[in-house]
Amino acid sequence: LPGTGVAVLPDDVPYAYALPGGRRDRVVVSTALLDRLQSAERRALFAHERAHLAARHHRFLLAVRLAALANPFLRPLRTAVAYAAERWADEAAARVVGDRRAVATAIGKAALVSRGTPVATLAGFAAPGPVPRRVAALLGPPPAVRTWPSLFTSVGLAAWAAAAGTAVSAMSSANAAVTMFLILRAATPL
């Protein structure tokens, strides 16, 4: 690849992705995709992929994938984190470009022309997929900024319960370690 932060590859297959690298992160885009987008949509595409690189979304996705492999009950978390990473990059691109509609149009066009879309199944008709939800979210008002979830939501209740459980577990472990140290000290002659 060229030594720049953007690599435009001549290809008949439309694609775009963020390629994290040690010293140089790159956005890789095919000419087939760029030919199908207008100028504002191209800016939105590059801003979206750069947001993935800047926020290091590949690390979150790898961590959740490894967690799901270790614990099968966490498999639904993979799709949730992947969707959240895409929405995060969508909103970051919308802030950079300054046009939420251009980002929504770029996402819609890229999804329509890419070959990576899954085959529709009966379960797929039950609820809208991630791309229509992402486009609908971008066509609506921007989300409110919060630093920590409110206690009065299900996510907030789960987050606060997990934080409290972690604190109690840490205190219990510390108590057990101190008790074990005192027992061993009393049981062994000096």
Side-chain angles (χ1 to χ4, degrees):
L1 293 175
T4 62
V6 174
V8 178
L9 303 179
D11 199 346
D12 294 337
V13 178
Y15 56 83
Y17 55 88
L19 181 64
R23 283 180 255 148
R24 179 173 304 271
D25 295 333
R26 289 189 175 94
V27 174
V28 180
V29 183
S30 71
T31 54
L33 182 59
L34 289 178
D35 291 343
R36 290 178 171 96
L37 298 177
Q38 296 176 359
S39 177
E41 297 162 354
R42 287 183 194 139
R43 284 193 308 275
L45 172 77
F46 286 118
H48 175 92
E49 297 302 334
R50 285 186 182 118
H52 281 308
L53 293 170
R56 300 288 183 206
H57 289 162
H58 61 281
R59 292 180 181 172
F60 295 115
L61 296 172
L62 177 62
V64 76
R65 183 172 184 184
L66 293 174
L69 289 172
N71 184 351
F73 291 113
L74 296 176
R75 284 185 184 152
L77 190 61
R78 286 175 58 187
T79 56
V81 170
Y83 177 76
E86 290 301 323
R87 283 289 300 126
W88 185 350
D90 293 345
E91 292 299 330
R95 278 192 304 277
V96 168
V97 174
D99 185 5
R100 296 174 63 81
R101 184 170 290 281
V103 177
T105 306
I107 290 168
K109 282 185 179 179
L112 286 173
V113 299
S114 70
R115 295 182 186 171
T117 56
V119 177
T121 61
L122 187 59
F125 292 117
V131 173
R133 289 187 305 161
R134 288 171 56 200
V135 170
L138 283 166
L139 293 177
V145 177
R146 282 200 178 159
T147 56
W148 189 256
S150 171
L151 178 62
F152 303 109
T153 64
S154 59
V155 173
L157 187 61
W160 284 103
T166 303
V168 169
S169 176
M171 288 188 300
S172 176
S173 295
N175 185 25
V178 169
T179 303
M180 183 59 78
F181 174 77
L182 293 176
I183 290 172
L184 289 175
R185 185 173 177 194
T188 56
L190 295 175

